[in-house]
Amino acid sequence: MRENKKLFAKHQTLGLRLVFVLVLSAIVMVVDSRQNTLDSLRQMLSVLVYPVQSIIQIPFSLVRWGEERLTSRRDLEVELERLRTQRLLMDGQLEKLAALEAENSRLRELLRSSYRTNERLSIAEILRLDTGYHRQQIVINRGASEGLMVGQPIIDASGIMGQINTVELNTATALLITDINHAIAVEVNRNGLRTVVAGTGKLNQLDLPFLTNNSDIKQGDLLVSSGMDGRFPKGYPVAVVTLVERSSAESFARIHAEPVAKLDRAREVLLVWPAKKNTPTDVAPDAKPSSASANMVAP
Amino acid sequence: MTATLIQRILVISISVFIALILTVFPLTDSLRSWRPDWVLLVLIYWCMALPWRMGMLSAGLVGLLMDVLHGSLLGMHALAMMPVIYVVQKFHLQLRAYPVWQQSFAILFFLIMYRLPIFWLHGMLNNGKPVFGWQEIIAGTLVWPWLFAMLRRMRRLHKLD
């Protein structure tokens, strides 16, 4: 009868309880939807609920475990072979990536150096190097079809490389400044002294044959193009003086210089289209260099 | 000769626990729509059999657990279950007197009453297209006789008053 008394009491308040509980649930729902205050409660409750979720996992984990343990050896071998092949392919692609990255940074440097000029520039690739007895030439992948002209200057990111010698339809040959047949009009950056730099046929060695013993030139001087030859645009770095030997027995000093452009390491070059015709209108007071103009055009 | 408190709590909790597992166990798409509302059915049974011990408070707590499991707003399942529990407690004597097939009709009615607020709230909260769940209701009605017999056997086995 104890139960009946309890039940009776409960029975009477049932309706009230329902209303109370409904209102409470509604309030909890609204609070939960608007704010984060109940999140801690939710977390606590999820601890209670955790056993339910972990038990649910059991059959799936078992199946997966079984699959792993019971994979046939044949399947594993096939998978291994496939992974090896894939790895091989990817390694190959990765090697190319290193080369591509290097090319990218070279091209960026070339383009960056082109910003300081007003002349039109375009990029060409070196197809091959032609260095024979005293010959320093390169072949590039642009030709008459792109509008190349004989005598057109070639530069790289650091300085002047040479000029176009012959032009075919889709390729062209260029003389490097170190070619024995090449000379370029320069001026010393420090004091404006004008002279000519000639090639020696040896890679990375240039000659300044026309300066007397009392010329104001010393080791380390930067030589830039003077534009006096009507070929090369003014102001591009050409070489750095490496050796100055003055001997009283000779009338001219022995002066060597090293090209600034990376002649042996270049892969892409820039072609310069002159913005306007380069006319040597400034008449230089110092005699010798100006007349020694560019090169001999190959037949 | 009735069971101790611990025994009672254990038996009821285990049945609710199993019902919770069945509610969230992953099923294939086709089977999923036929999942009965196990938790509600189990609670209905215990409130019918032991109305002075199990009531709205227990239903509320279990409702919170359901909310955490389903990820819904706290209080939603409790809100849906409360009216059903109220009716069960109010009419528990009549319900126990019904033959099982007649009980099933009552259960059908209860399940509909449970699904209505959930359907309404889902639509309101923009949780995607709200589903009323007729298939779940039918499955629950069909499962009830079996569930009732199972739980009654458990109750008598452990001598829960």
Side-chain angles (χ1 to χ4, degrees), chain A residues 14 16 26 34 64 121 155 172 174 178 205 209 223 231 264 275 295:
Chain A
L14 218 54
L16 207 62
R34 294 292 169 88
R64 224 174 308 141
L121 295 170
I155 65 176
T178 47
Q205 189 170 332
L223 306 167
R231 284 288 166 101
D264 51 348
N295 61 321

Side-chain angles (χ1 to χ4, degrees), chain A residues 2-4 6-7 10-11 13-19 21-23 25-26 28-30 32-33 38-39 41-42 45-49 51-53 55-56 59-60, chain B residues 17 20-21 24-26 51-57 61 64-69 71-76 78-79 82-83 85-86 89-93 121 125 161:
Chain A
R2 184 176 45 129
E3 294 91 5
N4 283 349
K6 262 206 251 171
L7 192 58
K10 199 180 207 180
H11 202 94
T13 58
L14 218 54
L16 207 62
R17 273 203 222 188
L18 175 69
V19 172
V21 155
L22 283 179
V23 169
S25 306
V28 167
M29 277 187 68
V30 169
D32 193 36
S33 67
L38 290 174
D39 279 357
L41 175 65
R42 196 185 274 268
L45 289 174
S46 64
V47 170
L48 283 180
V49 168
V52 175
Q53 287 165 327
I55 286 188
I56 287 179
F60 298 98
Chain B
F17 184 71
L20 282 172
I21 290 181
V24 289
F25 193 84
W52 50 87
R53 304 242 190 249
M54 291 284 294
M56 292 206 241
L57 182 64
L61 291 174
L64 280 179
L65 292 180
M66 288 267 281
D67 287 324
V68 173
L69 263 183
S72 50
L73 280 182
L74 287 180
M76 184 169 88
L79 195 77
M82 292 313 176
I85 302 294
Y86 168 75
Q89 285 200 304
K90 207 161 165 66
F91 295 104
H92 77 278
L93 288 171
L121 285 167
L125 299 169
D161 53 7

Side-chain angles (χ1 to χ4, degrees), chain B residues 14-81:
Chain B
I14 287 182
S15 57
V16 170
F17 184 71
I18 294 180
L20 282 172
I21 290 181
L22 289 172
T23 317
V24 289
F25 193 84
L27 287 177
T28 59
D29 282 341
S30 45
L31 280 180
R32 206 183 306 160
S33 38
W34 291 98
R35 202 203 297 262
D37 297 309
W38 296 107
V39 177
L40 181 68
L41 291 175
V42 168
L43 282 178
I44 288 179
Y45 175 78
W46 289 118
C47 291
M48 218 165 70
L50 289 76
W52 50 87
R53 304 242 190 249
M54 291 284 294
M56 292 206 241
L57 182 64
S58 358
L61 291 174
V62 175
L64 280 179
L65 292 180
M66 288 267 281
D67 287 324
V68 173
L69 263 183
H70 284 277
S72 50
L73 280 182
L74 287 180
M76 184 169 88
H77 283 96
L79 195 77
M81 288 201 279

Side-chain angles (χ1 to χ4, degrees), chain A residues 145-256:
Chain A
S145 54
E146 321 248 354
L148 257 64
M149 303 169 297
V150 171
Q152 196 164 354
I154 298 188
I155 65 176
D156 80 352
S158 326
I160 293 191
M161 284 182 73
Q163 58 177 281
I164 302 280
N165 195 15
T166 60
V167 175
E168 290 90 45
L169 184 62
N170 281 322
T171 58
T173 320
L175 287 186
L176 298 179
I177 53 177
T178 47
D179 188 290
I180 200 166
N181 288 328
H182 191 272
I184 171 173
V186 299
E187 60 184 16
V188 179
N189 199 32
R190 179 174 51 91
N191 54 18
L193 174 66
R194 295 215 177 96
T195 182
V196 169
V197 163
T200 58
K202 284 188 267 201
L203 187 70
N204 289 336
Q205 189 170 332
L206 298 164
D207 226 4
L208 280 74
F210 301 121
L211 291 178
T212 58
N213 279 332
N214 54 3
S215 312
D216 179 14
I217 188 158
K218 61 181 201 286
Q219 192 177 346
D221 273 340
L222 175 67
L223 306 167
V224 298
S225 58
S226 63
M228 301 306 309
D229 49 16
R231 284 288 166 101
F232 290 93
K234 183 175 154 75
Y236 278 82
V238 176
V240 172
V241 177
T242 52
L243 172 72
V244 177
E245 256 180 30
R246 305 172 209 270
S247 142
S248 44
E250 315 266 327
S251 34
F252 292 108
R254 195 162 114 189
I255 308 179
H256 290 171

